[in-house]
Amino acid sequence: MVVEMHAGLASDGGSKLKMLLTFVDALPNGNEEGIYYSIDLGGTNFRVLRVEVGAGSVIINQKVEHQPIPEELTKGTTEDLFNFVALALKSFLEREDDQDVKRALGFTFSFPVRQNSVSSGSLIRWTKGFSIEDTVGKDVAQCLNDALARCGLNVRVTALVNDTVGTLALGHYYDEDTVAAVIIGSGTNACYIERTDAIIKCQGLLTNSGGMVVNMEWGNFWSSHLPRTLYDISLDDETQNRNDQGFEKMISGMYLGEIARLVLHRMAQESDVFGDAADSLSNPFILSTPFLAAIREDDSPDLSEVRRVLQEHLKIPDAPLKTRRLVVKVCDIVTRRAARLAAAGIVGILKKLGRDGSGGVASTSSSSGGRARGQQPRRTVVAIEGGLYQGYPVLREYLDEALVEILGEEVARSVTLRVTEDGSGIGAALLAAVHSSNSQQQVPI
Ligand code: BGC
């Protein structure tokens, strides 16, 4: 991971890790004041938020409205998707009785974007099952601005951010030791604060702070060291973005259930563990990740929840206890691998920042956090969120366990994974505050 991070920072196309510039060189520090809005367009969910902040890291009020994105919009046209988003904001503002006020708007767009500035950037490609071809290459902030104008709203995007960046912003708002953020939800990704002089591919990049948040797009990480199985290859073949997002396909919520389904399907074909009633196992994506989690977390002595999921969702009635145990084992292995790979990725970032306790790699600057022999490791906070991480305690346990295993207990104690709630959206509103023209709150990171 560290080698690929260096390669991605050295040149565009130097690695499958894109290491994208975000132009975010100042993070909220708690002095922001006012009312800000944001839109969070991610994988399965879509949110509109209103955040009222007061000095001293106080969120006075926050309102979050969730809406599922209709499946057909993820495969339709750019205009339809952005009209849907703009109309949702419009009706939200109408209910707030706030539609005439010019407000700063944060736009969280959780897909790989090549940014030209903090408020503009073009879509590199879709992930997580979205496939609207005509959006690729377009400035997505402009697409939203156009849609906002079409529905008569006097609001424009002030900050266009990835969900990892929003999460980092909220994490940093509460705790200045927050240096990175990770999402483990439908997709997976991470961002962190890099020194501008280490971003070799952008010579002469100057920021007031000497730092910039880099969106790694680690979902696309690949290495011959990754333990790729036959099931990973079959899964990849089923997706619209073949040969891409390899790391994501081993870790995130969109895929874990399907990996387990592929394993169970092969077991059904090569043995009689499921009897004759296993036809449904040949349906791609029939076992969703929430069901995989429910199976793994069933701690009843007779595995009654496993029986229910098999019966109701996979149409496999009467699987004996022994078979149910086997199913739990498969779900466990898939979960454990995902958690351990994510933990390894986090250690990669810590290593790059010189905060993994080895004192090596990036310890050329004092701010990088490397420690001299005998010193206490420096406190490091990683903001983390995402439906899979937040909703699946077993995955969290495995991830924590792996962090301790790799870092050792002493260094692991200095690393806090801090869960933020709706950070991707609230953080975007805070970044809109930081980057709005009337704001004097910019504080270097
Ligand atoms: C996207 C990232 C995003 C991540 C988590 C990935 O599929 O490429 O931009 O941060 O999902 O939502």
Side-chain angles (χ1 to χ4, degrees):
M1 179 70 83
V2 179
V3 168
E4 295 299 320
M5 287 172 85
H6 278 280
L9 289 171
S11 65
D12 271 336
S15 164
K16 288 209 83 158
L17 267 190
K18 292 209 155 46
M19 307 299 284
L20 299 169
L21 302 187
T22 62
F23 294 90
V24 171
D25 60 347
L27 288 170
N29 69 342
N31 292 330
E32 298 71 20
E33 286 179 87
I35 297 173
Y36 299 93
Y37 288 89
S38 67
I39 281 174
D40 185 346
L41 182 62
T44 32
N45 53 48
F46 159 66
R47 281 171 278 207
V48 186
L49 299 93
R50 177 187 191 272
V51 184
E52 186 176 353
V53 283
S57 289
V58 186
I59 298 198
I60 301 167
N61 229 315
Q62 76 188 51
K63 191 170 168 195
V64 185
E65 256 180 34
H66 295 249
Q67 268 188 46
I69 304 173
E71 164 89 22
E72 65 274 14
L73 284 186
T74 66
K75 299 181 171 49
T77 66
T78 307
E79 209 171 294
D80 286 346
L81 178 68
F82 285 92
N83 281 349
F84 169 81
V85 171
L87 284 171
L89 179 66
K90 185 175 183 178
S91 79
F92 185 86
L93 291 177
E94 277 164 4
R95 272 171 282 131
E96 292 297 315
D97 213 13
D98 211 6
Q99 66 269 41
D100 294 330
V101 191
K102 195 170 185 330
R103 298 276 186 214
L105 177 70
F107 179 25
T108 309
F109 184 74
S110 311
F111 301 93
V113 164
R114 193 168 307 286
Q115 304 230 189
N116 312 310
S117 72
V118 77
S119 59
S120 66
S122 54
L123 175 65
I124 299 174
R125 58 177 144 68
W126 289 106
T127 57
K128 297 176 282 199
F130 276 64
S131 62
I132 309 171
E133 259 172 44
D134 69 329
T135 323
V136 175
K138 285 199 175 131
D139 179 347
V140 287
Q142 190 58 48
C143 293
L144 181 56
N145 285 338
D146 291 346
L148 293 169
R150 277 196 295 274
C151 57
L153 281 181
N154 186 23
V155 189
R156 296 293 172 266
V157 174
T158 317
L160 169 67
V161 301
N162 187 258
D163 51 353
T164 53
V165 181
T167 300
L168 177 63
L170 185 65
H172 196 267
Y173 180 73
Y174 286 127
D175 190 331
E176 283 188 357
D177 288 335
T178 310
V179 292
V182 172
I183 303 279
I184 308 178
S186 311
T188 185
N189 190 12
C191 73
Y192 72 105
I193 303 171
E194 183 56 279
R195 298 191 327 264
T196 40
D197 60 3
I199 310 177
I200 311 222
K201 64 183 172 184
C202 205
Q203 290 279 335
L205 185 68
L206 284 178
T207 64
N208 290 335
S209 60
M212 184 179 280
V213 177
V214 171
N215 167 13
M216 293 175 64
E217 284 298 327
W218 88 3
N220 202 39
F221 170 65
W222 192 253
S223 152
S224 57
H225 299 292
L226 283 173
R228 196 173 201 219
T229 66
L230 281 177
Y231 311 106
D232 298 308
I233 295 168
S234 305
L235 170 81
D236 192 43
D237 285 342
E238 288 169 3
T239 58
Q240 277 152 347
N241 54 350
R242 277 187 67 204
N243 298 323
D244 280 328
Q245 300 297 103
F247 199 49
E248 176 159 282
K249 287 172 185 167
M250 290 179 163
I251 294 176
S252 78
M254 180 118 196
Y255 306 105
L256 293 193
E258 177 62 2
I259 301 174
R261 198 275 307 170
L262 284 161
V263 178
L264 296 175
H265 180 48
R266 175 143 176 233
M267 286 164 69
Q269 283 177 319
E270 297 192 359
S271 75
D272 58 1
V273 277
F274 295 109
D276 304 327
D279 285 355
S280 60
L281 282 175
S282 57
N283 295 338
F285 291 91
I286 194 167
L287 179 63
S288 67
T289 303
F291 290 133
L292 166 134
I295 290 174
R296 173 57 187 83
E297 302 224 298
D298 184 0
D299 53 8
S300 62
D302 64 341
L303 297 177
S304 50
E305 180 61 13
V306 181
R307 184 196 293 121
R308 191 188 66 79
V309 173
L310 289 177
Q311 224 156 36
E312 290 177 17
H313 299 282
L314 301 181
K315 310 287 172 248
I316 302 175
D318 314 320
L321 184 60
K322 205 169 149 200
T323 304
R324 300 203 293 277
R325 284 208 187 104
L326 208 56
V327 174
V328 174
K329 183 78 191 156
V330 169
C331 294
D332 179 65
I333 292 170
V334 173
T335 303
R336 193 156 178 269
R337 183 183 72 160
R340 293 173 73 80
L341 288 174
I346 293 172
V347 175
I349 300 175
L350 298 177
K351 224 178 188 16
K352 176 74 181 65
L353 290 170
R355 288 176 182 245
D356 66 324
S358 66
V361 195
S363 55
T364 46
S365 121
S366 59
S367 66
S368 67
R371 67 168 163 154
R373 217 170 285 282
Q375 259 178 13
Q376 287 294 314
R378 184 159 164 203
R379 179 170 181 269
T380 298
V381 181
V382 178
I384 187 160
E385 68 177 55
L388 183 61
Y389 183 82
Q390 281 161 277
Y392 195 2
V394 169
L395 179 116
R396 288 203 297 273
E397 274 164 39
Y398 282 151
L399 197 156
D400 287 343
E401 208 175 271
L403 279 180
V404 175
E405 202 178 306
I406 312 173
L407 291 171
E409 274 184 25
E410 191 201 350
V411 178
R413 261 199 304 276
S414 69
V415 177
T416 304
L417 298 188
R418 179 174 178 155
V419 180
T420 51
E421 201 67 53
D422 285 322
S424 55
I426 298 172
L430 292 171
L431 283 168
V434 172
H435 291 274
S436 65
S437 50
N438 55 356
S439 164
Q440 299 303 314
Q441 317 292 349
Q442 300 216 8
V443 171
I445 50 184

